Amino acid sequence: MNHQNLNRRDILRAAVAGAAVYGTAGHAQSTWPTKPVTMIVPFPAGGGTDAFARPMGAQFTRLTGKSLVIDNRGGAGGTLGAGIAAKAAPDGYTLFMGAVHHAIAPSMYPKLDYNIETDLVPLILVASVPQVVVVNPKRVTAANFKEFLAQAKANPGKLNYASAGGGTSHHLAGELFKQQTNTFITHIPYRGAGPALNDLIAGQVDVMFDGLGSSAGHIKGGRIKALMVSGKERSAALPDVPCAAEMGLPDYNVTTWYGVWAPKGTPADAQARAIEEIRRAVSTDEAKAVWASQGAEFANVSGPQFDAFVKGEIQKWAQVVKASGAKLE
């Protein structure tokens, strides 16, 4: 299947063109920020978006001396928070931490109260992580991926998987998995990856197709078990976990990415400074350690290159949604 989400190497290739964008713009005589900046995160605390927003915010605060306040606004697969961000005052003091889910949403939701391409300005891509198939080891006793797949095929509809909500990458990753493995696993949508993960850990659900960013700590802590990472190569964060290509699924290549937007009309100097300060925050040793622990990469794609990337993702996911027949419950 050629319409998969961009893989990690593709994103890094894009960075070659994007790294220099706005590279000097931030040195203009802008005084931004002169007060705390609010970062709307459209999912509850504990999910993948939050897992990158908070450490990034901590470094932003340390470097600029002005707080980056995380405002979690979960609901409707991340579109509720996006709508709030799109309507926020474009004064440079509200930013939005979105994700791949927001490139999927236009194809999944018949009516959105915002347009990701026209109501928000893409600033910078901050993290890219592979998806991982994780299970609750008490509910799913399969020792490895092959045993899990055999169990799923032998018991159609009996296993269930949690997602961060209808239309999120977790949902679509599950639908693609079912399509490519000829299995049926029941979808259970939540209001974010955090609540979904909590129920997976608690044993309320069986499986999750999660971004490694939110699952990594729980995998390493033994609360959930990783069976496979997406893509054609293993993750450095989970070197003992096989990749999809090794398991006979060369086209199962789903990557979760996270980026920052600003409301349309935000002053250009504030946009440029925000890009520069976020880039500095993500490039600190502290942030690099967090990114590495979660198997994430910082592609350093910003401005027009990030805009082009998002537009491409919207088109790619529209094809995935159509092919999978995924619908919102």
Side-chain angles (χ1 to χ4, degrees):
M1 192 176 282
N2 295 323
H3 48 258
Q4 301 299 325
N5 200 7
L6 223 59
N7 63 30
R8 285 166 280 169
R9 287 180 175 173
D10 290 332
I11 292 174
L12 291 176
R13 286 192 196 103
V16 173
V21 176
Y22 294 102
T24 59
H27 296 292
Q29 297 304 308
S30 171
T31 58
W32 186 96
T34 60
K35 61 182 182 179
V37 179
T38 296
M39 173 81 77
I40 293 176
V41 171
F43 294 102
T49 316
D50 202 64
F52 292 104
R54 290 188 182 276
M56 182 180 75
Q59 296 308 311
F60 178 97
T61 300
R62 182 176 67 83
L63 292 170
T64 66
K66 297 294 185 290
S67 296
L68 187 66
V69 180
I70 305 301
D71 182 7
N72 294 98
R73 299 291 190 98
T79 62
L80 177 64
I84 293 170
K87 297 173 183 63
D91 58 3
Y93 290 92
T94 299
L95 299 176
F96 172 64
M97 181 86 161
V100 59
H101 316 299
H102 297 93
I104 299 171
S107 299
M108 291 292 297
Y109 288 81
K111 292 182 181 180
L112 290 173
D113 64 350
Y114 71 95
N115 185 314
I116 192 71
E117 296 185 77
T118 58
D119 296 337
L120 292 161
V121 180
L123 299 182
I124 186 167
L125 178 65
V126 297
S128 172
V129 298
Q131 293 275 66
V132 59
V133 181
V134 286
V135 299
N136 180 295
K138 293 181 180 178
R139 287 179 63 107
V140 179
T141 57
N144 53 48
F145 176 77
K146 288 185 177 180
E147 286 188 12
F148 164 73
L149 185 59
Q151 181 181 349
K153 287 187 174 183
N155 301 280
K158 291 188 178 180
L159 290 173
N160 56 51
Y161 77 96
S163 81
T168 62
S169 64
H170 307 78
H171 176 201
L172 269 288
E175 295 305 306
L176 284 172
F177 179 85
K178 289 157 59 175
Q179 195 176 60
Q180 293 186 7
T181 58
N182 295 314
T183 55
F184 179 70
I185 306 173
T186 302
H187 175 221
I188 301 179
Y190 285 77
R191 287 177 60 86
L197 261 178
N198 287 340
D199 267 14
L200 179 67
I201 293 166
Q204 301 301 313
V205 290
D206 301 317
V207 187
M208 194 166 172
F209 300 87
D210 194 26
L212 187 53
S214 46
S215 280
H218 301 296
I219 294 168
K220 293 172 182 176
R223 292 177 287 277
I224 53 179
K225 183 176 181 178
L227 299 180
M228 182 184 78
V229 295
S230 65
K232 301 182 186 302
E233 57 189 38
R234 295 191 180 199
S235 168
L238 297 174
D240 296 330
V241 178
C243 67
E246 292 177 79
M247 294 291 98
L249 297 172
D251 293 328
Y252 190 70
N253 182 31
V254 184
T255 302
T256 299
W257 52 264
Y258 306 92
V260 177
W261 283 256
K264 181 182 179 181
T266 297
D269 64 331
Q271 291 184 41
R273 282 298 303 275
I275 290 171
E276 181 183 33
E277 297 301 342
I278 290 169
R279 180 183 289 127
R280 286 209 304 150
V282 177
S283 298
T284 60
D285 290 341
E286 293 86 351
K288 285 180 179 179
V290 174
W291 266 231
S293 71
Q294 301 185 74
E297 295 173 340
F298 172 48
N300 199 10
V301 174
S302 61
Q305 279 69 29
F306 182 36
D307 187 26
F309 170 75
V310 173
K311 285 179 167 60
E313 288 289 275
I314 291 170
Q315 294 174 2
K316 286 183 177 68
W317 281 109
Q319 295 176 43
V320 173
V321 170
K322 183 178 180 180
S324 69
K327 296 184 184 300
L328 292 175
E329 286 81 358

